[in-house]
Amino acid sequence: MTEEKAHPSKESIEDLLKSFKMASERKRLASLSGLEERAEELTSLGASLMSGFDPGICDWTPGFILQLIHKTDENFIKNTLNCDDFSWFEAPSEVGIDYSPLQGYLLNECYEDADRFTSSKLRELAGEKAVKRGYVYFSEVESIPSIDLLTLDKLWIVYSRGKFGFTVQAKILDSLGGRYDKLWPRIGWKKDGIWTRYPKAFDWSIEAPNGHMPLVNQLRGVRLMDALLNHQGFKAKS
C-alpha cells in the first residue's frame, strides 16, 4: 500500500474568511460548517473580523458571522464591535421606529418573536386604524414607507442565510408564475389543502422552508399579500 499523502496545512482563518466573502452563494452555503468549526478563531480576530463588510447593504454573509460569534461569545458584539443593542446592521426608518429589538431576535434566531415584532410594526406603519383593528387592510399597504419595508426585509434576509424575507417570498411567487395557490404549500403555509395553524404548526427555525417567514396573515386573503409583495419599495429595489 502506498503511504497516505500528508494533509495540506490548514487555511488561515483570515484566508478562510476572505474566501467565504468572495465565494458564490452555493459555495458559501456549503462552507458554513467549516466556519462553525472555527468560530473561536473568528473571535480572535477582534474588531477586524467585520472589516470589509458593509452594514448598509443586504448581505447575509456578515449576518451569519454575527450569529456564529454570538453563540461563541455573547459579549463579543457589545464589547468588541461596540454595538450595545446588537444593532450592527444599519436599519433606517422614515418614521423613527427602532428596529434594534428585531436585530436582537434575529441574531439569536428567535424567529417567532421576530415575526411578532414584524407584524406589530407593520400595523404601526399602516396607521392608527390598523393598530386598533389588529391587522392591516390591503388598501393601507401602499402608504407604508418604502424605507421601513426595505429595512424589515433586509434584516430578515441577513439573519436567515437569505432564506426569509418579503422579497424572498416575491421571488418564489414569480418562479411559480404568480400562482398563490402554489406559493402557500411551497413556503409551508398550507398542507394538503389545509392552512397551517398559527403559531404552533409553523416552523420557527432556520430549517423552515424558504419564504416561510415573516408571516403575513394569509387568512385575510391574497390581496394583502399581493399588495405587500408588490409594494413600490420592493419594485424599485428589483
Side-chain angles (χ1 to χ4, degrees):
M1 293 179 65
T2 58
E3 186 176 343
E4 290 185 0
K5 294 181 179 180
H7 291 292
S9 57
K10 188 166 67 172
E11 187 177 21
S12 72
I13 193 62
E14 291 88 353
D15 288 342
L16 179 63
L17 187 59
K18 183 178 179 180
S19 298
F20 183 62
K21 290 179 184 178
M22 302 297 292
S24 66
E25 180 87 355
R26 181 175 296 181
K27 287 185 176 180
R28 274 187 289 164
L29 288 170
S31 64
L32 298 184
S33 59
L35 278 172
E36 289 173 337
E37 292 172 0
R38 302 180 66 178
E40 290 189 5
E41 291 179 72
L42 288 173
T43 61
S44 71
L45 296 176
S48 67
L49 172 65
M50 303 307 292
S51 63
F53 289 120
D54 186 347
I57 65 173
C58 188
D59 177 13
W60 66 262
T61 308
F64 173 77
I65 295 293
L66 290 167
Q67 287 174 321
L68 183 56
I69 61 171
H70 188 61
K71 291 176 183 176
T72 305
D73 180 357
E74 62 181 16
N75 295 313
F76 186 92
I77 295 175
K78 285 187 176 182
N79 296 342
T80 306
L81 301 182
N82 297 318
C83 299
D84 289 337
D85 54 8
F86 300 114
S87 298
W88 185 85
F89 284 97
E90 294 175 5
S93 171
E94 186 175 305
V95 293
I97 290 177
D98 177 13
Y99 290 107
S100 59
L102 181 58
Q103 295 210 48
Y105 293 140
L106 292 169
L107 174 70
N108 286 286
E109 297 184 42
C110 297
Y111 291 117
E112 184 174 358
D113 290 327
D115 187 79
R116 292 180 186 276
F117 180 93
T118 301
S119 295
S120 173
K121 293 309 169 186
L122 283 175
R123 293 192 295 272
E124 187 176 330
L125 290 164
E128 189 176 330
K129 289 182 179 179
V131 172
K132 291 181 177 179
R133 187 190 311 124
Y135 56 88
V136 179
Y137 276 147
F138 75 92
S139 58
E140 295 168 327
V141 171
E142 186 178 0
S143 66
I144 295 177
S146 296
I147 290 175
D148 289 78
L149 271 187
L150 289 169
T151 289
L152 287 167
D153 184 56
K154 167 187 169 180
L155 294 178
W156 274 98
I157 290 172
V158 299
Y159 281 120
S160 67
R161 307 174 195 176
K163 293 188 65 173
F164 308 138
F166 299 121
T167 54
V168 175
Q169 294 165 342
K171 287 178 182 177
I172 296 172
L173 178 64
D174 185 61
S175 73
L176 297 172
R179 294 277 302 274
Y180 279 96
D181 59 318
K182 292 186 176 181
L183 178 69
W184 308 138
R186 175 69 69 84
I187 64 177
W189 290 9
K190 206 171 191 179
K191 184 176 181 181
D192 299 328
I194 300 173
W195 291 112
T196 303
R197 290 183 65 84
Y198 176 87
K200 294 188 179 299
F202 279 82
D203 185 350
W204 304 109
S205 77
I206 194 64
E207 304 304 324
N210 285 15
H212 193 60
M213 295 174 262
L215 175 67
V216 174
N217 191 341
Q218 72 274 34
L219 298 181
R220 302 289 168 197
V222 168
R223 299 182 79 178
L224 174 59
M225 186 76 165
D226 195 60
L228 185 60
L229 299 189
N230 286 286
H231 190 277
Q232 57 186 353
F234 296 144
K235 291 298 184 182
K237 177 183 177 182
S238 61

